[in-house]
Amino acid sequence: MLEYAQMYSQALDTADASFTGFNRFAHDRNLARPGYAPFKTPNADTLYSNAWLDLSHGPVVLSVPDAGTTYFTVNFLDIYGNSSNISARTRGFGPGKYAIVPLGWEGSLPDGVEKFTVTTPYCWILMRVLAKDLSNPARARQVQNGFTLQPLSQPDGQQESFPAPAGSSAEQYLRVLDWIVRNAGYPVTETALVHRYRAIGVGLGPEAIDKAFADPDLVAGIKAGHAAALEALDNSSRLSGYPAATWKMPADTGAYGYNYFYRAAINTLGTGANVSIENYPFNTFADGDGDPLDGGKHDYRLTFAPPPPARFFWSLTLYDAKTRELSANPIARYIINDRTPGLVRTGSGAIPIAIQHERPKGKSLNWLPAPDGPFYLVIRAQGPEPALIEGKWLPPAVQKVKP
């Protein structure tokens, strides 16, 4: 539902400020900051570009420029949030042309164009281009400009109308789900599961949904189940992943298989999660004592010794737990990364970080400002090294500063 709502806003709703239509990039020319609207828990050191592909009429060709030494990933997410990449990791930094095709497509392609298959005919591109200089992402903007999309054919008939995802009611959720299973496909191994949804009209069309919502007893059950699911997701999104002491590490992020609840929990926390071999993330809502992180109650310390082992870059980003957005602060710092100007290291190379609401005293610490309230932290390692993937590097606990 969350991805579909983004698709509707960007590709279908002409009255929406983010509207671009299908098969066109919308480039964010500035780094995400507090109030960033497209989705929650964004990176703060990459420029984003978004595009929704409609492959129901045929392939769309993605042109990739020569990125030099600038890291990028074109992250493809099918309508269910499963991820694949054309990136500096998978294809190198050089140029290329790729025909993005849906599963089962057969046809001829122009010379010099490589076939790249995605699993659903409606697909989200969430592209990230690294801004090496956070104060001036001009080079990242130049790289963005080199990415283009070109459909190989045009629509040749009427499409079924897309239901508007207004609000978050149980009825609207089922109308969207009905449209998705009939128009975007699903794995053949889930046929029996999807067939069971027909009891409440899903998979049979809008008239069947109307009929289901004309039955008071059925409506009561649907609404109760929907409310229980939302409550469970709200309670569980911060618990997603495998435990790594008080941190959580990825459990097949971006490649969920049959773990539907985990997929929903991850997307509730923030849509657009990548596979862990591209970006290895950790998150925590708790300090080393297991208490919720709260800048209004405590000052904290975190020391990387060493920092996350990553081929391309690493970062530590702080988010307001109430809004799941970057937290406004007086020095406009939302992230500590390997390119933070004036990054303080100890003689042994360790990186000590003060996470607190008020500016710390002295200059021996890197300050990551916290809100006067609950927050959470995300570590990202883009292009994780084997030590990360094999579990040999784990993040240190966030420690309270004792009075």
Side-chain angles (χ1 to χ4, degrees), residues 35 39 43 79 100 119 123 214 239 249 284 288 319 336 345 381-382 394-395 401:
F39 49 86
N43 286 340
I79 200 75
I100 315 305
T119 53
C123 180
L239 303 176
M249 58 194 295
T284 186
Y319 301 92
I336 297 288
R345 296 178 183 264
Q382 213 77 18
L394 294 172
V401 175

Side-chain angles (χ1 to χ4, degrees), residues 268-285:
T268 298
L269 187 62
T271 54
N274 214 327
V275 288
S276 57
I277 198 170
E278 186 77 36
N279 167 43
Y280 205 93
F282 296 86
N283 72 80
T284 186
F285 288 77

Side-chain angles (χ1 to χ4, degrees), residues 158-300:
Q158 271 306 94
Q159 278 185 303
E160 179 182 341
S161 61
F162 296 76
S168 57
S169 70
E171 180 176 358
Q172 202 58 40
Y173 174 80
L174 292 189
R175 291 190 183 280
V176 169
L177 181 59
D178 168 68
W179 185 94
I180 288 174
V181 299
R182 289 186 297 105
N183 292 277
Y186 50 84
V188 66
T189 52
E190 296 180 358
T191 300
L193 175 65
V194 173
H195 185 80
R196 292 171 60 193
Y197 299 159
R198 295 187 176 191
I200 51 175
V202 172
L204 299 175
E207 296 81 5
I209 301 292
D210 293 340
K211 183 178 179 181
F213 276 84
D215 183 331
D217 292 335
L218 205 53
V219 168
I222 290 170
K223 288 184 175 180
H226 184 254
L230 291 180
E231 182 180 8
L233 288 173
D234 184 59
N235 292 336
S236 300
S237 59
R238 68 187 56 202
L239 303 176
S240 57
Y242 295 123
T246 51
W247 291 81
K248 297 294 181 181
M249 58 194 295
D252 301 324
T253 305
Y256 306 100
Y258 300 112
N259 196 339
Y260 310 120
F261 191 84
Y262 178 60
R263 178 178 67 188
I266 288 291
N267 280 274
T268 298
L269 187 62
T271 54
N274 214 327
V275 288
S276 57
I277 198 170
E278 186 77 36
N279 167 43
Y280 205 93
F282 296 86
N283 72 80
T284 186
F285 288 77
D287 63 26
D289 298 322
D291 298 325
L293 296 170
D294 192 320
K297 295 180 179 179
H298 301 285
D299 295 343
Y300 302 94

Side-chain angles (χ1 to χ4, degrees), residues 23-277:
N23 306 328
R24 293 181 61 189
F25 273 119
H27 295 303
D28 287 344
R29 298 304 192 179
N30 297 304
L31 297 165
R33 291 297 178 257
Y36 183 75
F39 49 86
K40 301 299 184 181
T41 317
N43 286 340
D45 55 357
T46 63
L47 292 183
Y48 283 110
S49 298
N50 287 272
W52 270 94
L53 304 183
D54 178 357
L55 307 174
S56 62
H57 308 288
V60 173
V61 173
L62 168 72
S63 295
V64 175
D66 185 344
T69 59
T70 299
Y71 171 81
F72 71 90
T73 179
V74 184
N75 182 198
F76 296 86
L77 296 117
D78 71 16
I79 200 75
Y80 300 106
N82 299 298
S83 179
S84 56
N85 295 267
I86 292 174
S87 67
R89 176 186 65 86
T90 63
R91 297 297 199 278
F93 292 91
K97 288 184 179 292
Y98 305 91
I100 315 305
V101 307
L103 198 64
W105 180 86
E106 295 182 3
S108 59
L109 295 172
D111 291 341
V113 176
E114 181 180 339
K115 181 179 174 181
F116 186 88
T117 302
V118 293
T119 53
T120 58
Y122 297 93
C123 180
W124 178 28
I125 290 178
L126 178 57
M127 186 171 79
R128 303 166 177 90
V129 178
L130 178 63
K132 295 182 179 180
D133 182 352
L134 296 184
S135 64
N136 182 18
R139 170 58 185 162
R141 291 172 184 148
Q142 290 175 357
V143 173
Q144 273 184 320
N145 291 340
F147 288 87
T148 62
L149 295 168
Q150 180 61 53
L152 289 183
S153 59
Q154 297 300 320
D156 56 2
Q158 271 306 94
Q159 278 185 303
E160 179 182 341
S161 61
F162 296 76
S168 57
S169 70
E171 180 176 358
Q172 202 58 40
Y173 174 80
L174 292 189
R175 291 190 183 280
V176 169
L177 181 59
D178 168 68
W179 185 94
I180 288 174
V181 299
R182 289 186 297 105
N183 292 277
Y186 50 84
V188 66
T189 52
E190 296 180 358
T191 300
L193 175 65
V194 173
H195 185 80
R196 292 171 60 193
Y197 299 159
R198 295 187 176 191
I200 51 175
V202 172
L204 299 175
E207 296 81 5
I209 301 292
D210 293 340
K211 183 178 179 181
F213 276 84
D215 183 331
D217 292 335
L218 205 53
V219 168
I222 290 170
K223 288 184 175 180
H226 184 254
L230 291 180
E231 182 180 8
L233 288 173
D234 184 59
N235 292 336
S236 300
S237 59
R238 68 187 56 202
L239 303 176
S240 57
Y242 295 123
T246 51
W247 291 81
K248 297 294 181 181
M249 58 194 295
D252 301 324
T253 305
Y256 306 100
Y258 300 112
N259 196 339
Y260 310 120
F261 191 84
Y262 178 60
R263 178 178 67 188
I266 288 291
N267 280 274
T268 298
L269 187 62
T271 54
N274 214 327
V275 288
S276 57
I277 198 170

